[in-house]
Amino acid sequence: MSAMAASAQTPAEPKVGLRERKKIKTRTAIREATYRLIMEQGYDATTVEQIAESAEVSPSTVFRYFPTKEDIVLTDEFDPILERELRSRPADESLIDSLRHVIDDSLHLALESDDPEVSRLRTRLQVEVPAVRSRMMESMSVTGDLMCRVIADRTGRDAGDLEVRVYAMALVGAMMEATMYWAQHDHEGELRDLVMRALDTVQHGL
Amino acid sequence: MSAMAASAQTPAEPKVGLRERKKIKTRTAIREATYRLIMEQGYDATTVEQIAESAEVSPSTVFRYFPTKEDIVLTDEFDPILERELRSRPADESLIDSLRHVIDDSLHLALESDDPEVSRLRTRLQVEVPAVRSRMMESMSVTGDLMCRVIADRTGRDAGDLEVRVYAMALVGAMMEATMYWAQHDHEGELRDLVMRALDTVQHGL
DNA sequence: TAGGAAATGAGAGTTACTCTCATTTCATGG
DNA sequence: CCATGAAATGAGAGTAACTCTCATTTCCTA
């Protein structure tokens, strides 16, 4: 989930032809160009045209790889990891405990898979740039859906139940708030600890 | 909070000169034109130019009144009501109980202040149109800030505390989920009841 | 190595939004 | 009641993020 400053690395190997390798290269080239330009000039001042030029592709191609400019910064692939890890936990464990374990085990995957500076840039943009923030919140609802499915499978409830959705939203929202808090406080301390505190709050209230 | 399909009526009386009255008129003219066109053609097919023409103003004026197209649909003034009502509750009441009372007392204000069809259209757009949804989520964080301030005043904690923010986000998110659930289920039943169930979930978990 | 599919590039078009400047419309003090 | 200033509007040009289409290149595979 992008809400967690997750990795921006590219998916995995469907078929390792030249074609696929090139696509991955292009993808990361675009992303790296974007990060570089944004660090130099800021988000708004960086146009897709510049990104394209710097990544040595055409603007058309940029939009083929990423539906929107915000997505270049935000797209992450932590959701599948999250889902896999959650499902690998014992089914009788409470979801929130599972989450704690997964965060404990896998958060570093998300954070370390690319330059730490990039993680920090991304979380900062999530806080500072409205367009990025709203896109992130969009993606929050995707992660929320994921969470709903996990809950549904575990409890036998319907994934569309209001209660299920509210609970999922609370969990995902908590993780997102922890991430934003981290960014707002100059990334001091461990994100993991903040997430734990956030989850505690969901569980026990204030 | 727009998350609750709140009223789209215009603020209040700063100075009732001709000028102010005209401004209010223009504002609602734009909004009504927008609703009309969207009902006829859908959101995406409706351009700001059409809205301007239909409201008999220039496109420039539309943007003077609303920063973005989504805002024409979303802007609401329930936040101040919410804050006022929350603060009028006894300070030793738990926030969630206060919220229950306020919803009970004031939700109808938000829903009935305009054509019920408009309320329904608005909530539907929040679910269906990505741009509107993300704008709504943006406004969710504004309402969240409001909630943080209320919590801070009541408990003496800092409004920026992670725990406070997480809790506020859970409450606001719960109300929003209730609203979306309502829209997704063709506005059957009472929104109020859904909100109550959502708040219960925040309080007691699943 | 030829044929087909996938990826790319080029370019035109749409639309939301911004800025500037001239014009109109209202408020108000003399 | 009108003149002066301020606020609101309109007109128009400009930007940039997308979208679509079509021709071309690049790779895969039989």
Side-chain angles (χ1 to χ4, degrees):
Chain A
M1 49 170 303
S2 58
M4 305 237 22
S7 158
Q9 292 316 79
T10 333
E13 13 47 85
K15 270 213 173 93
V16 265
L18 212 189
R19 209 156 238 172
E20 308 303 322
R21 260 175 297 146
K22 261 202 154 180
K23 269 167 77 172
I24 293 181
K25 262 195 179 165
T26 308
R27 205 180 165 81
T28 64
I30 293 172
R31 251 200 291 239
E32 278 164 14
T34 306
Y35 286 134
R36 191 172 349 113
L37 288 168
I38 290 182
M39 296 202 239
E40 284 169 25
Q41 323 176 335
Y43 183 86
D44 288 329
T46 301
T47 77
V48 173
E49 208 165 346
Q50 291 174 342
I51 292 171
E53 192 183 353
S54 169
E56 296 183 292
V57 294
S58 75
S60 319
T61 299
V62 173
F63 286 114
R64 274 199 197 88
Y65 279 83
F66 301 94
T68 71
K69 184 178 158 190
E70 301 95 62
D71 279 290
I72 307 179
V73 170
L74 268 185
T75 313
D76 66 57
E77 286 76 21
F78 193 53
D79 270 8
I81 301 181
L82 184 62
E83 180 155 16
R84 177 164 47 77
E85 294 295 312
L86 277 181
R87 289 187 188 284
S88 79
R89 301 289 315 170
D92 62 335
E93 186 176 57
S94 80
L95 180 67
I96 200 163
D97 283 334
S98 298
L99 249 185
R100 287 192 178 98
H101 281 110
V102 172
I103 294 293
D104 227 34
D105 295 347
S106 308
L107 186 52
H108 68 278
L109 286 182
L111 290 178
E112 285 164 11
S113 57
D114 44 23
D115 188 348
E117 193 159 354
V118 168
S119 290
R120 279 187 254 120
L121 173 62
R122 185 176 321 121
T123 51
R124 242 190 41 226
L125 292 175
Q126 287 174 4
V127 172
E128 288 169 11
V129 180
V132 175
R133 187 173 45 228
S134 34
R135 194 64 193 67
M136 169 189 61
M137 295 196 141
E138 269 292 293
S139 93
M140 189 174 85
S141 68
V142 174
T143 310
D145 290 346
L146 177 167
M147 206 69 86
C148 286
R149 288 196 303 274
V150 174
I151 297 177
D153 281 1
R154 287 203 178 184
T155 64
R157 303 180 75 139
D158 192 296
D161 266 11
L162 177 60
E163 281 79 9
V164 172
R165 301 197 46 158
V166 168
Y167 193 68
M169 157 68 99
L171 291 177
V172 177
M175 294 194 281
M176 200 191 62
E177 285 290 347
T179 306
M180 295 184 64
Y181 186 94
W182 189 53
Q184 280 168 342
H185 291 73
D186 292 320
H187 308 93
E188 279 172 25
E190 289 290 324
L191 176 55
R192 178 198 318 256
D193 298 337
L194 296 176
V195 174
M196 294 300 163
R197 282 170 58 192
L199 291 180
D200 286 346
T201 304
V202 171
Q203 193 166 25
H204 302 115
L206 265 186
Chain B
M1 51 170 300
S2 58
M4 306 236 22
S7 156
Q9 292 314 82
T10 332
E13 12 48 83
K15 273 212 171 89
V16 265
L18 211 189
R19 208 154 239 175
E20 309 302 322
R21 260 176 296 147
K22 262 202 153 179
K23 269 168 74 173
I24 293 180
K25 260 194 180 165
T26 309
R27 204 179 166 82
T28 64
I30 293 172
R31 250 200 292 241
E32 277 164 15
T34 305
Y35 286 133
R36 192 172 349 113
L37 288 169
I38 289 182
M39 295 202 240
E40 285 169 26
Q41 321 175 335
Y43 183 86
D44 288 329
T46 301
T47 76
V48 173
E49 208 165 348
Q50 291 174 342
I51 293 172
E53 191 183 356
S54 169
E56 296 183 294
V57 294
S58 75
S60 320
T61 299
V62 173
F63 286 112
R64 275 200 195 88
Y65 279 83
F66 301 94
T68 71
K69 185 178 157 190
E70 300 95 63
D71 278 291
I72 307 178
V73 170
L74 267 184
T75 314
D76 65 58
E77 285 78 21
F78 194 52
D79 270 7
I81 301 181
L82 184 61
E83 180 156 16
R84 178 165 45 77
E85 293 296 313
L86 276 181
R87 290 187 187 283
S88 80
R89 303 288 315 170
D92 60 335
E93 186 175 60
S94 80
L95 180 66
I96 201 164
D97 282 334
S98 298
L99 250 186
R100 287 193 178 96
H101 280 111
V102 171
I103 294 294
D104 225 36
D105 294 348
S106 308
L107 186 54
H108 68 277
L109 286 182
L111 290 177
E112 285 165 9
S113 57
D114 46 23
D115 188 346
E117 192 159 355
V118 168
S119 291
R120 279 187 255 119
L121 173 62
R122 187 178 319 123
T123 52
R124 243 190 41 225
L125 293 175
Q126 288 174 3
V127 172
E128 288 169 11
V129 180
V132 175
R133 187 173 45 226
S134 34
R135 193 66 194 67
M136 169 190 61
M137 296 197 139
E138 267 293 293
S139 93
M140 190 175 85
S141 68
V142 175
T143 311
D145 290 347
L146 176 168
M147 206 69 85
C148 285
R149 288 195 303 275
V150 173
I151 296 176
D153 281 2
R154 286 202 180 185
T155 63
R157 301 181 76 137
D158 192 296
D161 267 10
L162 177 59
E163 281 78 9
V164 172
R165 301 200 46 159
V166 168
Y167 192 67
M169 157 68 98
L171 290 176
V172 177
M175 293 194 281
M176 201 191 62
E177 284 291 347
T179 306
M180 294 184 64
Y181 186 94
W182 190 52
Q184 280 168 342
H185 292 73
D186 293 319
H187 307 93
E188 278 171 26
E190 289 289 325
L191 175 56
R192 175 196 321 251
D193 297 337
L194 296 176
V195 174
M196 294 300 163
R197 281 171 56 194
L199 292 179
D200 287 345
T201 304
V202 171
Q203 192 165 26
H204 301 115
L206 266 185

Coordinates of all heavy atoms in Angstrom, one line a residue, chain A residues 17-19 22 46-49 63-64 67-70, chain D residues 15-23 25-29:
Chain A
G17 N 11.8 -12.5 -21.2 CA 12.3 -12.2 -22.5 C 13.0 -10.9 -22.5 O 13.0 -10.2 -21.5
L18 N 13.6 -10.6 -23.6 CA 14.2 -9.2 -23.7 C 13.2 -8.2 -23.5 O 13.4 -7.2 -22.9 CB 14.8 -9.1 -25.1 CG 16.1 -8.2 -25.3 CD1 16.4 -8.1 -26.7 CD2 15.9 -6.9 -24.6
R19 N 12.0 -8.5 -24.1 CA 10.9 -7.5 -24.1 C 10.6 -7.1 -22.6 O 10.5 -5.9 -22.3 CB 9.7 -8.2 -24.7 CG 8.8 -7.2 -25.3 CD 7.9 -7.8 -26.4 NE 8.1 -7.2 -27.7 CZ 7.5 -7.6 -28.8 NH1 6.9 -8.8 -28.8 NH2 7.7 -7.0 -29.9
K22 N 13.2 -5.1 -20.9 CA 13.2 -3.7 -21.4 C 12.1 -2.9 -20.8 O 12.3 -1.7 -20.4 CB 13.0 -3.7 -22.9 CG 14.3 -3.5 -23.7 CD 14.0 -3.0 -25.1 CE 15.2 -2.2 -25.7 NZ 15.0 -1.7 -27.0
T46 N 7.9 20.1 -12.3 CA 8.3 19.0 -13.2 C 7.2 18.5 -14.1 O 6.2 18.1 -13.6 CB 8.8 17.8 -12.3 OG1 9.9 18.3 -11.4 CG2 9.3 16.7 -13.2
T47 N 7.4 18.7 -15.4 CA 6.4 18.3 -16.3 C 6.7 16.9 -16.9 O 7.8 16.4 -16.8 CB 6.3 19.3 -17.5 OG1 7.4 19.0 -18.4 CG2 6.4 20.7 -17.0
V48 N 5.6 16.3 -17.3 CA 5.8 15.0 -17.9 C 6.7 15.0 -19.1 O 7.5 14.0 -19.3 CB 4.4 14.4 -18.3 CG1 4.5 13.1 -19.1 CG2 3.5 14.2 -17.1
E49 N 6.7 16.1 -19.8 CA 7.6 16.2 -21.0 C 9.0 16.1 -20.5 O 9.8 15.4 -21.1 CB 7.3 17.5 -21.7 CG 7.6 17.5 -23.1 CD 7.0 18.8 -23.8 OE1 6.1 19.4 -23.2 OE2 7.4 19.1 -24.9
F63 N 2.9 7.8 -20.4 CA 1.5 7.6 -20.0 C 1.0 6.1 -20.3 O 0.0 5.7 -19.7 CB 0.6 8.6 -20.8 CG 0.6 9.9 -20.2 CD1 1.1 11.0 -21.0 CD2 0.2 10.2 -18.9 CE1 1.2 12.3 -20.5 CE2 0.2 11.5 -18.4 CZ 0.8 12.5 -19.2
R64 N 1.8 5.5 -21.1 CA 1.5 4.0 -21.2 C 1.9 3.3 -20.0 O 1.3 2.3 -19.6 CB 2.2 3.5 -22.4 CG 1.4 3.7 -23.7 CD 1.9 2.7 -24.8 NE 1.4 3.2 -26.1 CZ 2.0 4.1 -26.8 NH1 3.2 4.5 -26.4 NH2 1.5 4.5 -28.0
P67 N -0.7 5.7 -15.5 CA -1.9 6.4 -15.9 C -1.9 7.9 -15.6 O -2.4 8.7 -16.3 CB -3.0 5.7 -15.1 CG -2.3 4.9 -14.0 CD -0.9 4.6 -14.5
T68 N -1.3 8.3 -14.5 CA -1.2 9.7 -14.1 C 0.2 10.0 -13.6 O 1.0 9.2 -13.2 CB -2.2 10.1 -13.0 OG1 -1.8 9.5 -11.8 CG2 -3.6 9.6 -13.3
K69 N 0.5 11.3 -13.6 CA 1.8 11.7 -13.1 C 2.0 11.3 -11.6 O 3.0 10.9 -11.2 CB 1.8 13.3 -13.2 CG 3.1 13.9 -12.8 CD 3.0 15.4 -13.1 CE 4.1 16.2 -12.2 NZ 3.8 17.7 -12.3
E70 N 0.9 11.4 -10.8 CA 1.0 11.1 -9.4 C 1.4 9.6 -9.3 O 2.1 9.2 -8.4 CB -0.3 11.3 -8.7 CG -0.8 12.7 -8.7 CD -1.8 12.9 -9.8 OE1 -2.8 12.3 -9.8 OE2 -1.5 13.7 -10.7
Chain D
dT15 P 2.6 29.0 -22.7 OP1 4.0 29.5 -22.5 OP2 2.2 28.5 -24.0 O5' 2.3 28.0 -21.5 C5' 2.2 28.4 -20.2 C4' 1.7 27.2 -19.4 O4' 0.3 27.1 -19.6 C3' 2.3 25.9 -19.7 O3' 2.6 25.2 -18.5 C2' 1.2 25.1 -20.5 C1' -0.1 25.7 -19.8 N1 -1.3 25.7 -20.6 C2 -2.4 25.1 -19.9 O2 -2.4 24.7 -18.8 N3 -3.5 25.1 -20.7 C4 -3.6 25.5 -22.1 O4 -4.7 25.5 -22.7 C5 -2.5 26.1 -22.6 C7 -2.5 26.6 -24.0 C6 -1.3 26.1 -21.9
dA16 P 3.8 24.1 -18.6 OP1 4.9 24.6 -17.7 OP2 4.1 23.8 -20.0 O5' 3.1 22.8 -17.9 C5' 2.1 23.0 -17.0 C4' 1.2 21.8 -17.1 O4' 0.1 22.1 -18.0 C3' 1.9 20.5 -17.6 O3' 1.4 19.4 -16.9 C2' 1.4 20.5 -19.1 C1' 0.0 21.0 -18.9 N9 -0.6 21.5 -20.1 C8 0.1 22.1 -21.2 N7 -0.7 22.4 -22.2 C5 -2.0 22.0 -21.7 C6 -3.3 22.1 -22.3 N6 -3.5 22.6 -23.5 N1 -4.3 21.6 -21.6 C2 -4.1 21.1 -20.4 N3 -2.9 21.0 -19.7 C4 -1.9 21.5 -20.5
dA17 P 2.2 18.1 -16.7 OP1 3.1 18.2 -15.6 OP2 2.7 17.8 -18.1 O5' 1.1 17.1 -16.3 C5' 0.0 17.5 -15.5 C4' -1.3 16.9 -15.9 O4' -1.7 17.6 -17.1 C3' -1.2 15.5 -16.3 O3' -2.5 14.9 -15.9 C2' -1.2 15.5 -17.8 C1' -2.1 16.7 -18.1 N9 -1.9 17.3 -19.4 C8 -0.7 17.7 -20.0 N7 -0.8 18.2 -21.2 C5 -2.2 18.1 -21.4 C6 -2.9 18.5 -22.6 N6 -2.4 19.1 -23.6 N1 -4.3 18.3 -22.5 C2 -4.8 17.7 -21.4 N3 -4.1 17.3 -20.3 C4 -2.8 17.6 -20.4
dC18 P -2.4 13.4 -15.4 OP1 -3.8 13.0 -14.9 OP2 -1.2 13.2 -14.5 O5' -2.1 12.7 -16.8 C5' -3.0 11.7 -17.3 C4' -4.0 12.3 -18.3 O4' -3.4 13.4 -19.1 C3' -4.4 11.3 -19.4 O3' -5.7 10.8 -19.0 C2' -4.4 12.0 -20.7 C1' -4.1 13.5 -20.3 N1 -3.2 14.1 -21.3 C2 -3.8 14.6 -22.5 O2 -5.0 14.5 -22.7 N3 -3.0 15.2 -23.5 C4 -1.7 15.3 -23.3 N4 -1.0 15.9 -24.2 C5 -1.1 14.8 -22.1 C6 -1.9 14.2 -21.2
dT19 P -6.0 9.4 -19.6 OP1 -7.1 8.8 -18.9 OP2 -4.7 8.7 -19.7 O5' -6.5 9.6 -21.2 C5' -7.4 10.6 -21.4 C4' -7.8 10.6 -22.8 O4' -6.9 11.5 -23.6 C3' -7.7 9.2 -23.5 O3' -8.9 9.1 -24.3 C2' -6.5 9.3 -24.4 C1' -6.4 10.8 -24.7 N1 -5.1 11.3 -25.1 C2 -4.9 12.0 -26.2 O2 -5.8 12.2 -27.0 N3 -3.6 12.4 -26.4 C4 -2.5 12.3 -25.6 O4 -1.4 12.7 -25.8 C5 -2.8 11.5 -24.3 C7 -1.7 11.3 -23.4 C6 -4.1 11.1 -24.1
dC20 P -9.3 7.6 -24.8 OP1 -10.6 7.2 -24.4 OP2 -8.1 6.7 -24.5 O5' -9.3 7.8 -26.4 C5' -8.7 9.0 -26.9 C4' -8.8 9.0 -28.4 O4' -7.6 9.7 -28.9 C3' -8.7 7.6 -29.0 O3' -9.4 7.6 -30.3 C2' -7.2 7.4 -29.2 C1' -6.6 8.8 -29.4 N1 -5.3 9.0 -28.8 C2 -4.4 9.9 -29.4 O2 -4.7 10.4 -30.5 N3 -3.2 10.1 -28.9 C4 -2.9 9.5 -27.7 N4 -1.7 9.7 -27.2 C5 -3.8 8.6 -27.1 C6 -5.0 8.4 -27.6
dT21 P -9.4 6.3 -31.1 OP1 -10.7 6.2 -31.7 OP2 -8.8 5.1 -30.4 O5' -8.4 6.6 -32.3 C5' -8.4 7.9 -32.9 C4' -7.3 8.1 -33.9 O4' -6.0 8.4 -33.3 C3' -7.0 6.8 -34.7 O3' -6.8 7.1 -36.1 C2' -5.8 6.2 -34.0 C1' -5.0 7.5 -33.7 N1 -4.0 7.4 -32.6 C2 -2.8 8.1 -32.8 O2 -2.6 8.7 -33.7 N3 -2.0 7.9 -31.7 C4 -2.2 7.2 -30.5 O4 -1.4 7.1 -29.7 C5 -3.5 6.5 -30.5 C7 -3.8 5.7 -29.3 C6 -4.3 6.6 -31.5
dC22 P -7.0 5.9 -37.2 OP1 -8.0 6.4 -38.1 OP2 -7.1 4.6 -36.5 O5' -5.5 6.0 -37.9 C5' -4.9 7.2 -38.1 C4' -3.4 7.0 -38.2 O4' -2.8 6.9 -36.9 C3' -3.0 5.7 -38.9 O3' -1.9 6.0 -39.8 C2' -2.5 4.8 -37.8 C1' -1.9 5.8 -36.9 N1 -1.7 5.4 -35.5 C2 -0.5 5.8 -34.8 O2 0.3 6.5 -35.4 N3 -0.4 5.5 -33.5 C4 -1.3 4.7 -32.9 N4 -1.1 4.3 -31.6 C5 -2.5 4.3 -33.6 C6 -2.6 4.6 -34.8
dA23 P -1.7 5.0 -41.0 OP1 -2.4 5.5 -42.2 OP2 -1.9 3.6 -40.5 O5' -0.1 5.1 -41.2 C5' 0.5 6.4 -41.0 C4' 1.8 6.3 -40.4 O4' 1.7 5.9 -39.0 C3' 2.7 5.2 -41.0 O3' 4.0 5.7 -41.2 C2' 2.7 4.1 -40.0 C1' 2.5 4.8 -38.7 N9 1.9 4.1 -37.6 C8 0.7 3.4 -37.7 N7 0.4 2.8 -36.6 C5 1.5 3.1 -35.7 C6 1.7 2.7 -34.4 N6 0.9 2.0 -33.6 N1 2.9 3.2 -33.8 C2 3.7 3.9 -34.6 N3 3.5 4.3 -35.9 C4 2.4 3.9 -36.4
dT25 P 10.9 2.9 -39.2 OP1 11.9 3.9 -39.6 OP2 10.4 1.9 -40.2 O5' 11.3 2.2 -37.9 C5' 11.4 2.9 -36.7 C4' 11.3 2.0 -35.5 O4' 10.0 1.4 -35.5 C3' 12.3 0.9 -35.5 O3' 13.0 0.9 -34.3 C2' 11.4 -0.4 -35.6 C1' 10.1 0.1 -35.0 N1 8.9 -0.7 -35.4 C2 8.2 -1.4 -34.5 O2 8.6 -1.4 -33.3 N3 7.1 -2.0 -34.9 C4 6.6 -2.1 -36.2 O4 5.6 -2.7 -36.5 C5 7.4 -1.4 -37.2 C7 7.0 -1.3 -38.6 C6 8.5 -0.7 -36.7
dT26 P 14.2 0.0 -34.1 OP1 15.2 0.7 -33.3 OP2 14.6 -0.6 -35.4 O5' 13.6 -1.1 -33.2 C5' 13.0 -0.8 -32.0 C4' 12.4 -2.0 -31.3 O4' 11.3 -2.5 -32.0 C3' 13.4 -3.2 -31.3 O3' 13.5 -3.7 -29.9 C2' 12.8 -4.2 -32.3 C1' 11.4 -3.9 -32.1 N1 10.5 -4.2 -33.3 C2 9.4 -4.9 -33.2 O2 9.0 -5.3 -32.1 N3 8.7 -5.2 -34.3 C4 9.0 -4.8 -35.6 O4 8.3 -5.1 -36.5 C5 10.2 -4.1 -35.7 C7 10.7 -3.6 -37.0 C6 10.9 -3.8 -34.6
dC27 P 14.6 -4.7 -29.5 OP1 15.0 -4.4 -28.1 OP2 15.7 -4.7 -30.6 O5' 13.8 -6.1 -29.5 C5' 13.1 -6.3 -28.4 C4' 12.0 -7.3 -28.8 O4' 11.6 -7.1 -30.1 C3' 12.4 -8.8 -28.7 O3' 11.7 -9.4 -27.7 C2' 12.1 -9.3 -30.1 C1' 11.1 -8.3 -30.6 N1 10.9 -8.2 -32.1 C2 9.8 -8.6 -32.7 O2 8.9 -9.1 -32.0 N3 9.6 -8.5 -34.0 C4 10.6 -8.0 -34.8 N4 10.5 -7.9 -36.1 C5 11.8 -7.5 -34.2 C6 11.9 -7.6 -32.8
dC28 P 12.3 -10.7 -27.0 OP1 12.2 -10.7 -25.6 OP2 13.6 -11.0 -27.7 O5' 11.2 -11.8 -27.5 C5' 9.9 -11.7 -27.2 C4' 9.0 -12.5 -28.2 O4' 9.3 -12.0 -29.5 C3' 9.3 -14.0 -28.3 O3' 8.1 -14.7 -28.0 C2' 9.9 -14.2 -29.7 C1' 9.2 -13.1 -30.4 N1 9.9 -12.7 -31.7 C2 9.2 -12.8 -32.9 O2 8.0 -13.2 -32.9 N3 9.8 -12.4 -34.1 C4 11.0 -11.9 -34.0 N4 11.6 -11.5 -35.2 C5 11.7 -11.7 -32.8 C6 11.1 -12.1 -31.7
dT29 P 8.2 -16.2 -27.6 OP1 7.2 -16.4 -26.5 OP2 9.6 -16.6 -27.4 O5' 7.7 -17.0 -28.9 C5' 6.7 -16.4 -29.7 C4' 6.5 -17.2 -31.0 O4' 7.3 -16.5 -32.1 C3' 7.0 -18.6 -30.9 O3' 6.3 -19.4 -31.8 C2' 8.4 -18.5 -31.5 C1' 8.2 -17.5 -32.6 N1 9.3 -16.8 -33.1 C2 9.3 -16.3 -34.4 O2 8.4 -16.5 -35.2 N3 10.5 -15.6 -34.8 C4 11.6 -15.4 -34.0 O4 12.5 -14.8 -34.5 C5 11.5 -15.9 -32.7 C7 12.7 -15.6 -31.7 C6 10.4 -16.5 -32.3

